[in-house]
């Protein structure tokens, strides 16, 4: 960060730096250019940002939600053990006690308890991988160290980090098929449409709340130029509907509101596909296997064509050119 008087503009800083940096670069045979975006400049004397109406509505909703959680939780603590109290009523969904019991409750079937362990291990690896990704955008003493780990067998768990996310897709697919088979065995009606809608309803409330926070609250919390360069400020306001409909990985894919929003869309889409395949496989094993084989082959061919045609790296590599993603971020 460079501290200059508040009267200086972004162009003033640019020309001042160029007068010092460009001669030094040219001396070493390096031709460069310097650009300073206005959104990365910050001054305490800047006029305050006018708060939108959505800011006040979101705060009002959040306060109401907190009050509801506190009141229902206290009621559950005092009267939850009473026989006359039915904890299945809708308002007990706001009870922190009941929700915590649900979260820490072990799996009913012992054969599925290993899945919880798989989720935890995958989460640790995903957190580690994302931490490394963020370090790539930080000043590094020796960037070549990131390039050398590509050929190191010990570091494959990091360089292949994006593949770890697939474990959640596999678990979702397995549990979805298991549920469909279980419902059919018990002669329950299987409606793929209702399965997808139910999962959509499970995702949207929390998803929408996080987007609302990033649109209305987070921009008011920044205290410097870095806060003004976050992704959501220019995309959430315009393309929020693609996230709510879970089509953001196909419609305006470079304008996603949240960094992990690609996973949310992929999860719901694959859940719908898995439900259809699972139902078809159970109803007609021959037709289901044929359909599953066709989809499996296409899932290999299509990514290969896209990677070849767009000249992508099949697996993200820690090369300097990977940092070109910064250009995409700046275009947001």
């Amino acid at each position: 960060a460079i501290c200059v008087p508040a009267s200086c503009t972004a162009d003033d800083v640019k020309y001042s730096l160029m007068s010092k940096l460009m001669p030094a670069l040219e001396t070493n045979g390096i031709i460069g250019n310097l650009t300073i975006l206005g959104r990365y400049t910050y001054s305490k004397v800047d006029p305050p940002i006018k708060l939108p109406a959505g800011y006040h509505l979101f705060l009002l909703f959040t306060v109401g939600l907190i009050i509801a959680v506190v009141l229902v939780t206290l009621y559950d603590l005092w009267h939850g053990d009473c026989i006359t109290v039915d904890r299945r009523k809708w308002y007990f969904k706001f009870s922190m006690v009941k929700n915590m019991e649900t979260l820490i409750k072990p799996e009913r079937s012992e054969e599925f308890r290993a899945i919880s362990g798989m989720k935890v291990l995958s989460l640790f690896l995903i957190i580690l991988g994302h931490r490394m990704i963020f370090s790539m955008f930080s000043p590094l003493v020796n960037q070549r160290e990131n390039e050398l780990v590509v050929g190191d067998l010990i570091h494959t768990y990091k360089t292949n980090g994006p593949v770890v996310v697939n474990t959640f897709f596999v678990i979702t697919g397995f549990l979805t098929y298991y549920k469909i088979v279980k419902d059919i065995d018990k002669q329950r009606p299987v409606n793929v449409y209702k399965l997808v809608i139910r999962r959509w309803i499970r995702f949207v409330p929390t998803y929408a709340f996080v987007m609302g926070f990033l649109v209305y609250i987070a921009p008011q919390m920044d205290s410097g130029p870095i806060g003004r360069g976050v992704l959501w400020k220019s995309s959430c306001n315009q393309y929020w509907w693609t996230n709510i409909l879970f089509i953001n990985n196909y419609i305006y894919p470079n304008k996603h509101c949240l960094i992990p929003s690609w996973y949310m869309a992929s999860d719901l889409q694959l859940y719908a596909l898995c439900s259809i395949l699972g139902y078809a496989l159970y109803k007609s094993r021959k037709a289901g296997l044929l359909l599953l084989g066709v989809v499996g082959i296409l899932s290999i061919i299509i990514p290969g064509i896209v990677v070849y045609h767009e000249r992508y790296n099949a697996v993200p590599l820690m090369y300097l050119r990977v940092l070109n993603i910064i250009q995409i971020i700046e275009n947001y």
Side-chain angles (χ1 to χ4, degrees):
I2 300 176
C3 183
V4 297
S7 58
C8 295
T9 64
D11 289 335
D12 294 333
V13 177
K14 172 183 176 180
Y15 294 129
S16 177
L17 291 175
M18 288 183 64
S19 64
K20 300 295 182 182
L21 291 176
M22 293 302 109
L25 294 176
E26 292 174 358
T27 302
N28 294 278
I30 300 175
I31 300 176
N33 192 15
L34 181 64
T35 301
I36 297 179
L37 300 178
R39 65 182 179 184
Y40 289 118
T41 61
Y42 178 83
S43 174
K44 290 185 177 181
V45 299
D46 288 345
I49 301 175
K50 184 179 180 181
L51 298 177
Y55 173 84
H56 302 285
L57 292 175
F58 185 84
L59 281 184
L60 183 63
F61 173 79
T62 303
V63 171
L65 184 62
I66 293 174
I67 293 175
V69 170
V70 172
L71 292 179
V72 176
T73 300
L74 292 176
Y75 179 79
D76 194 7
L77 288 172
W78 289 338
H79 304 286
D81 295 332
C82 297
I83 300 177
T84 57
V85 175
D86 186 5
R87 299 184 75 198
R88 293 175 298 178
K89 292 184 177 180
W90 65 270
Y91 52 81
F92 274 99
K93 301 294 183 181
F94 294 94
S95 172
M96 294 180 63
V97 176
K98 183 178 179 181
N99 284 298
M100 185 58 65
E101 291 174 355
T102 304
L103 286 174
I104 64 177
K105 182 176 63 177
E107 298 286 346
R108 295 180 181 178
S109 176
E110 292 187 3
E111 60 183 341
F112 289 159
R113 291 184 179 180
I115 293 179
S116 298
M118 292 174 59
K119 292 180 180 179
V120 172
L121 292 176
S122 297
L123 280 174
F124 284 149
L125 291 175
I126 290 172
I127 293 173
L128 175 63
H130 282 78
R131 178 61 185 87
M132 289 191 60
I133 291 175
F134 281 112
S135 68
M136 292 178 60
F137 299 98
S138 304
L140 300 175
V141 176
N142 186 7
Q143 175 64 32
R144 182 164 174 76
E145 292 182 2
N146 279 340
E147 298 183 7
L148 293 176
V149 300
V150 174
D152 192 342
L153 181 63
I154 299 178
H155 290 85
T156 53
Y157 71 94
K158 293 188 295 185
T159 54
N160 293 285
V163 183
V164 177
V165 182
N166 293 348
T167 57
F168 288 96
F169 292 141
V170 174
I171 292 173
T172 300
F174 171 75
L175 294 178
T176 301
Y177 179 70
Y178 174 80
K179 184 182 185 308
I180 291 175
V181 172
K182 189 175 180 180
D183 288 343
I184 294 178
D185 285 340
K186 293 184 178 180
Q187 297 183 348
R188 297 174 183 171
V190 177
N191 190 320
V192 176
Y193 175 77
K194 287 184 177 180
L195 289 175
V196 176
I197 292 298
R198 185 179 301 173
R199 192 169 185 83
W200 181 84
I201 293 175
R202 287 179 58 192
F203 282 170
V204 166
T206 305
Y207 198 17
F209 183 86
V210 174
M211 283 195 293
F213 178 85
L214 296 180
V215 170
Y216 297 114
I217 305 300
Q220 318 305 327
M221 298 174 64
D222 69 68
S223 59
I226 301 300
R228 296 186 174 185
V230 292
L231 301 180
W232 56 78
K233 285 192 177 180
S234 59
S235 58
C236 266
N237 291 330
Q238 300 177 11
Y239 304 104
W240 59 269
W241 58 274
T242 62
N243 292 266
I244 294 297
L245 296 177
F246 294 88
I247 56 176
N248 50 282
N249 54 344
Y250 290 105
I251 307 298
Y252 303 112
N254 292 330
K255 302 293 183 180
H256 54 267
C257 179
L258 304 173
I259 293 178
S261 59
W262 70 269
Y263 173 83
M264 303 292 291
S266 299
D267 183 274
L268 188 67
Q269 293 161 10
L270 292 176
Y271 180 83
L273 179 61
C274 179
S275 301
I276 296 173
L277 292 175
Y279 183 75
L281 185 61
Y282 190 84
K283 296 296 291 184
S284 175
R285 184 174 180 81
K286 185 176 181 180
L289 287 175
L290 178 61
L291 182 61
L292 183 62
V294 171
V295 172
I297 293 173
L298 290 177
S299 67
I300 297 174
I301 295 177
I302 294 177
I305 294 175
V306 172
V307 169
Y308 177 79
H309 183 266
E310 300 295 335
R311 297 184 179 180
Y312 293 145
N313 290 322
V315 176
L317 303 176
M318 303 299 180
Y319 292 155
L320 284 172
R321 62 175 178 269
V322 175
L323 298 180
N324 288 334
I325 192 174
I326 295 177
Q327 298 296 327
I328 300 176
I329 295 175
E330 291 181 350
N331 290 333
Y332 283 1

